Amino acid sequence: MLVEKNVPLQSSNTFGINAKALHLVRVKSEADIAAVMQDPALQAAPKFVLGGGSNIVLTGDVKPLVLKVEIMGKRLVQETVKAWIVEAGAGEDWHELVAWTLQNGYPGLENLALIPGTVGASPVQNIGAYGVELQDRFESLDAVDLTTGKTFTLIAAQCAFGYRDSVFKHASKPGEASGAQALGLKDKALITRVRFLLPKAWKPVLGYADIDKKRLQRKVDVPDALQIYEWVCEIRRAKLPDWKVIGNAGSFFKNPTVSPEQCEDIIQRDPKIVHYQLADGSVKLAAGWLIDACGWKGKSIGNAGVYDKQALVLVNRGGSANPVTGGEVMTLAKAIQTSVYERFGLRLEPEPVVV
Ligand code: EPU
């Protein structure tokens, strides 16, 4: 195990922000993390787990020990009459896993194509797109407790999945147990492997406006998994910037959920607001629409900009030569939050982790 010093992170975060890890260990296997946990100084150090860097804003050099997860491997671990169970190392690229499952005849992840990031990060924010969330295809995961070094396995119910949320985004309260018993695992666990349950009774997940538009255009009544995969790739490429060309962290804010009464109040202010009824009676509002309505699309503060085709995405307008800073991103984010609050009385909650 090698502890690297002053490692540049510009190519390890999708915003392309220029910052360094003061100390970094590449975790390529469970043995690497065991070695970290057996070293008394490293074991005691605060730690930051880095995957694909697709959901972070770096506001300066990272002082905690960075554990860069590079555990690889994709395999079918079990086939039953009803389903395939596929396992992937946490360091695998998410989109490559989706493509691999389809190539091997295991459909189910197609709606989640082209989401940037690694497999290990996918349960942390319960990634979702076009009507499917990770939790709908999740079987279990293996992780290492960063306090004790012990490994543990979590099933879906223990991950407390919610909209862009899980047990890995919440801090435990002092005195709580660690590992699988903990209520909050923020900064306390390193996910090593994730398993997905892909039912053989596959049905396309439709009903999302952009996908239905493709069905009409292509005159396909019931698409197969590969068609959905291709459509999702086309939709995302048309609407979302490729971080390799224009740095970004995907949707910057979550879509807020409000009560039907609050929604009525907002509709009074602007009848055109895009909203969706949820099963529990609450209403989800399109944050991109709210930001757009406040006139932010295409605007910038310093090198931080609002993408001109999707107002929910903040972008790095300085490229790699003169990259945006985390401070500029957060200044723009705060200005947007203030506008949306003043006009609609709603507080937008950022999606990425601010480091
Ligand atoms: N809209 C506008 N102006 C904008 C942006 C959006 O009017 O500038 C409107 C759109 O016309 C549409 C509605 O807002 O009617 C929703 O937009 P879109 O379909 O693009 O989806 P979204 O709600 O903005 C969410 C996820 C995306 C995911 C898509 C598809 C969140 C925070 N974002 O975006 O996830 O790909 O749905 O399922 O839930 C991500 O998390 O990084 C991400 C990209």
Side-chain angles (χ1 to χ4, degrees):
M1 182 224 7
L2 175 72
V3 182
E4 298 171 48
K5 288 193 178 147
N6 296 320
V7 181
L9 293 178
Q10 193 173 9
S11 60
S12 300
N13 74 98
T14 59
F15 255 122
I17 293 170
N18 202 359
K20 288 193 300 270
L22 300 189
H23 297 94
L24 180 144
V25 171
R26 291 178 200 279
V27 177
K28 291 183 192 290
S29 70
E30 283 81 351
D32 288 330
I33 187 70
V36 168
M37 297 307 291
Q38 276 155 21
D39 178 308
L42 297 180
Q43 197 260 340
K47 299 177 187 66
F48 175 71
V49 179
L50 179 62
S54 59
N55 202 39
I56 56 171
V57 182
L58 298 174
T59 55
D61 291 342
V62 184
K63 291 175 191 75
L65 172 66
V66 174
L67 299 172
K68 177 124 180 18
V69 185
E70 298 180 353
I71 299 172
M72 307 308 275
K74 303 189 272 283
R75 64 189 182 117
L76 179 69
V77 282
Q78 201 186 338
E79 179 173 354
T80 66
V81 183
K82 290 196 169 162
W84 295 282
I85 298 179
V86 166
E87 181 186 83
E92 288 284 347
D93 178 76
W94 172 262
H95 178 70
E96 280 175 25
L97 171 69
V98 174
W100 180 88
T101 54
L102 292 169
Q103 279 154 18
N104 284 280
Y106 319 133
L109 297 178
E110 54 283 346
N111 294 52
L112 302 175
L114 225 55
I115 296 181
T118 54
V119 167
S122 65
V124 176
Q125 63 151 352
N126 186 22
I127 57 171
Y130 305 104
V132 176
E133 284 185 315
L134 176 113
Q135 65 175 330
D136 304 324
R137 304 284 180 265
F138 179 87
E139 201 265 339
S140 59
L141 61 79
D142 299 333
V144 176
D145 183 320
L146 292 175
T147 320
T148 63
K150 291 203 176 111
T151 56
F152 60 93
T153 296
L154 297 185
I155 57 166
Q158 293 167 303
C159 291
F161 289 124
Y163 166 59
R164 297 293 190 276
D165 199 21
S166 76
V167 70
F168 301 100
K169 289 192 100 175
H170 297 272
S172 58
K173 296 187 190 86
E176 257 172 21
S178 60
Q181 287 75 42
L183 292 177
L185 288 175
K186 189 175 191 297
D187 300 326
K188 287 181 83 179
L190 182 144
I191 296 167
T192 51
R193 290 172 202 280
V194 186
R195 284 170 293 277
F196 303 91
L197 190 136
L198 306 172
K200 290 185 175 172
W202 177 87
K203 276 205 301 271
V205 177
L206 305 170
Y208 202 95
D210 284 338
I211 303 251
D212 284 344
K213 249 188 252 166
K214 290 277 178 197
R215 273 172 73 202
L216 284 175
Q217 275 169 12
R218 306 286 155 92
K219 302 190 172 55
V220 177
D221 194 24
V222 185
D224 62 27
L226 266 178
Q227 278 170 318
I228 295 183
Y229 168 85
E230 276 153 22
W231 295 351
V232 167
C233 290
E234 285 172 19
I235 294 164
R236 291 187 74 101
R237 287 197 176 107
K239 189 178 265 203
L240 298 167
D242 176 354
W243 65 268
K244 290 176 187 146
V245 183
I246 306 172
N248 72 88
S251 299
F252 198 89
F253 298 100
K254 295 183 189 181
N255 285 329
T257 302
V258 296
S259 65
E261 296 74 33
Q262 278 173 299
C263 186
E264 268 315 305
D265 176 55
I266 294 167
I267 288 172
Q268 302 283 315
R269 301 185 207 198
D270 202 323
K272 292 193 295 296
I273 183 154
V274 178
H275 58 286
Y276 319 91
Q277 200 68 48
L278 299 182
D280 66 0
S282 60
V283 185
K284 187 169 268 194
L285 307 176
W289 186 93
L290 296 166
I291 299 167
D292 197 359
C294 292
W296 278 103
K297 208 183 241 178
K299 297 272 166 60
S300 297
I301 292 183
N303 275 332
V306 180
Y307 191 50
D308 32 24
K309 292 188 204 150
Q310 224 301 8
L312 196 49
V313 179
L314 304 191
V315 295
N316 171 8
R317 292 214 194 281
S320 56
N322 185 22
V324 70
T325 64
E328 285 174 321
V329 172
M330 294 318 293
T331 303
L332 176 60
K334 289 204 175 89
I336 290 171
Q337 282 172 313
T338 304
S339 291
V340 170
Y341 185 73
E342 282 171 358
R343 171 136 179 217
F344 296 104
L346 285 166
R347 289 185 196 280
L348 291 183
E349 193 189 330
E351 239 198 63
V353 176
V354 181
V355 185

